[in-house]
Amino acid sequence: MTPTIAQPALPADWRDLVALTKPRVMSLVVFTGLCGLLAAPEMLPPVLGFTAILCIALGAGAAGALNQWYEADLDAKMRRTANRPLPAQRMDRQTALHFGVGLSAFSVVLMDLATNHLAALLLAISILFYVLVYTVWLKRRTAQNIVIGGAAGAFPPLIGWVAATGQINLLPALLFAIIFLWTPPHFWALSLFVRSDYAAANVPMLPVVAGIQNTRLQILLYSLTVAVAAVAPWALGLTGTTYGVAAVALSAVFLVLAVAVFANKADTPAGMKPERRLFAYSILYLFALFTAVVVDRWVVA
């Protein structure tokens, strides 16, 4: 049960409502959704294309708000999340719930009106998956929470593509797979140097329940699958050489950093520089890789 949080004396500030949407996470979601839209063989009119990306952003923000509504008790126990609007008591939980549900419904309905039914359905599934499957079901129960829950963050490029074309094809499915496989090493690298936070909140992240070295091994193994998935669009002839060269080079660096993490023996955050480097690079990696998809589609082709 989530404990009751004291009701704040004043209404929520607009900046707290923005904070509920997890803007930094949303930026990556919006970018990959935009890349999926731009990589599609058909283009929406600019206004409809903008609306589709706006819907993806609003859907991601809604999922973030509902996540924080449900996890207010966990956030209060972790240093890096304790200042969020709910644990810091700058907002009541009912406001967060209404904001999240309303934003979810609005984003899905608008997507349906602006693009097509399938894109709206995928957006709805992505929101429900993040909230119900990852947040409610997996997060507090299993160390596989990130492995399975990573699917929620993998939907945006697929949604962007479907918004433009109305159908699912192999390339956007591979873009989905790249993010799905990228998510565990990305978050496990983070969880290694904030392991004490997850332990304090009793969240069964892999480093907490399986140990540091086992987590490092899993990061390395998943990094190998990320590299294979990243090169697959080129190997299958779905993209050109420009993307292929970028995928190989970017993935090689990813693997080198993953090997450095695996070789590290430090068990305190101060000694986890390889983990911090991999976490930071993993964000750059995804941005660069998806940029290469668009460049290969529009500049080279």
Side-chain angles (χ1 to χ4, degrees):
M1 291 290 293
T2 303
T4 301
I5 294 178
Q7 299 295 306
L10 298 174
D13 187 274
W14 67 268
R15 285 165 292 193
D16 290 325
L17 291 174
V18 172
L20 276 183
T21 66
K22 299 185 176 181
R24 286 189 296 179
V25 175
M26 188 196 297
S27 65
L28 188 58
V29 167
V30 169
F31 181 75
T32 56
L34 177 62
C35 289
L37 182 74
L38 294 177
E42 302 172 26
M43 287 301 299
L44 287 173
V47 173
L48 294 183
F50 173 81
T51 303
I53 299 305
L54 176 64
C55 290
I56 292 174
L58 294 177
L66 292 171
N67 170 268
Q68 290 188 56
W69 163 75
Y70 190 80
E71 293 187 348
D73 61 322
L74 298 184
D75 286 345
K77 298 175 183 177
M78 299 193 289
R79 286 182 300 171
R80 68 186 186 88
T81 57
N83 196 43
R84 285 176 172 174
L86 290 176
Q89 298 182 15
R90 297 193 303 271
M91 180 187 297
D92 64 272
R93 295 187 72 238
Q94 188 175 43
T95 297
L97 175 61
H98 291 172
F99 179 68
V101 171
L103 204 58
S104 298
F106 177 75
S107 65
V108 172
V109 171
L110 183 59
M111 179 70 87
D112 188 65
L113 294 174
T115 61
N116 57 72
H117 298 324
L118 182 56
L121 176 62
L122 290 174
L123 180 60
I125 291 173
S126 70
I127 296 170
L128 292 172
F129 196 96
Y130 185 75
V131 175
L132 298 180
V133 176
Y134 172 67
T135 302
V136 176
W137 179 34
L138 297 172
K139 181 74 172 282
R140 303 175 191 241
R141 289 176 171 81
T142 172
Q144 298 301 305
N145 47 24
I146 287 298
V147 177
I148 303 170
F155 275 100
L158 186 60
I159 296 171
W161 179 288
V162 171
T165 66
Q167 58 186 3
I168 298 174
N169 302 97
L170 182 56
L171 179 56
L174 288 173
L175 297 180
F176 175 99
I178 290 169
I179 301 177
F180 178 72
L181 295 169
W182 165 91
T183 301
H186 167 72
F187 275 103
W188 284 337
L190 169 67
S191 68
L192 279 168
F193 56 84
V194 297
R195 183 169 59 106
S196 60
D197 263 7
Y198 288 114
N202 200 30
V203 177
M205 292 296 286
L206 194 63
V208 176
V209 301
I212 293 175
Q213 288 307 125
N214 182 271
T215 302
R216 286 171 171 149
L217 173 61
Q218 294 300 316
I219 286 174
L220 179 58
L221 294 176
Y222 267 90
S223 297
L224 290 169
T225 68
V226 172
V228 172
V231 174
W234 178 43
L236 294 173
L238 302 174
T239 59
T241 303
T242 299
Y243 171 81
V245 171
V248 170
L250 290 166
S251 298
V253 175
F254 199 106
L255 289 175
V256 168
L257 294 176
V259 169
V261 168
F262 178 67
N264 189 21
K265 301 302 179 184
D267 58 3
T268 61
M272 293 184 179
K273 291 182 179 179
E275 287 78 2
R276 294 177 188 273
R277 282 195 294 265
L278 178 61
F279 176 72
Y281 177 76
S282 66
I283 299 172
L284 174 64
Y285 173 84
L286 209 61
F287 272 106
L289 193 67
F290 276 72
T291 297
V293 174
V294 176
V295 169
D296 190 83
R297 163 77 170 84
W298 284 98
V299 178
V300 180

